[in-house]
Amino acid sequence: MTVNDLINEFGFEALSLPDGEREINGAYIGDLLSWVMGRAQADNAWITIMSNINVIAVASLADVACVILAEGVKLDEEIIEAARQKDINVLTSPLPAYETAEKLFGRI
């Protein structure tokens, strides 16, 4: 499944989409950034409610396929621009983190 597939199948909104064809090979849910840095794996979809600039830095370090902001969380325009500059796909889901993860279960 690609990031574009998430958008098309589940109606997630793209805030930053420099590489919609990036493949997703798993998911990680977490909001403690230091924990995510050590445990999220490359090509995961990272589900979080965090919305600060550090999310972009951690996503880059962990090399995740995308960040999915649960519960309709949005980013400030300057953070979206930072995501674009670092080639980080960022989506937002209106669902809570658990329900967002349920959508992915068995698909990635």
Side-chain angles (χ1 to χ4, degrees), residues 11 14 18 20 29 34 41 54 57 59 65 85-86 103-104:
I29 304 170
S34 60
Q41 298 191 10
N54 295 328
Q85 289 175 2
K86 292 187 177 280
K103 296 279 187 189
L104 306 179

Side-chain angles (χ1 to χ4, degrees), residues 52-89:
N52 64 50
I53 190 68
N54 295 328
V55 168
I56 305 308
V58 170
S60 179
L61 286 170
D63 194 27
V64 296
C66 65
V67 176
I68 304 173
L69 302 170
E71 299 191 31
V73 169
K74 304 281 185 173
L75 298 176
D76 292 337
E77 190 56 43
E78 67 220 24
I79 300 173
I80 293 171
E81 184 55 35
R84 290 180 185 134
Q85 289 175 2
K86 292 187 177 280
D87 294 329
I88 305 295
N89 295 313

Side-chain angles (χ1 to χ4, degrees), residues 9-105:
E9 291 185 35
F10 305 126
F12 298 159
E13 177 187 351
L15 302 178
S16 170
L17 193 63
D19 185 8
E21 290 304 311
R22 182 144 180 203
E23 289 287 332
I24 301 168
N25 71 0
Y28 190 83
I29 304 170
D31 297 320
L32 185 59
L33 299 178
S34 60
W35 199 263
V36 174
M37 274 193 300
R39 288 169 175 77
Q41 298 191 10
D43 301 319
N44 278 178
W46 171 25
I47 302 168
T48 184
I49 58 166
M50 297 293 294
S51 62
N52 64 50
I53 190 68
N54 295 328
V55 168
I56 305 308
V58 170
S60 179
L61 286 170
D63 194 27
V64 296
C66 65
V67 176
I68 304 173
L69 302 170
E71 299 191 31
V73 169
K74 304 281 185 173
L75 298 176
D76 292 337
E77 190 56 43
E78 67 220 24
I79 300 173
I80 293 171
E81 184 55 35
R84 290 180 185 134
Q85 289 175 2
K86 292 187 177 280
D87 294 329
I88 305 295
N89 295 313
V90 181
L91 312 178
T92 186
S93 165
L95 304 171
Y98 178 81
E99 291 176 31
T100 298
E102 273 187 320
K103 296 279 187 189
L104 306 179
F105 185 74

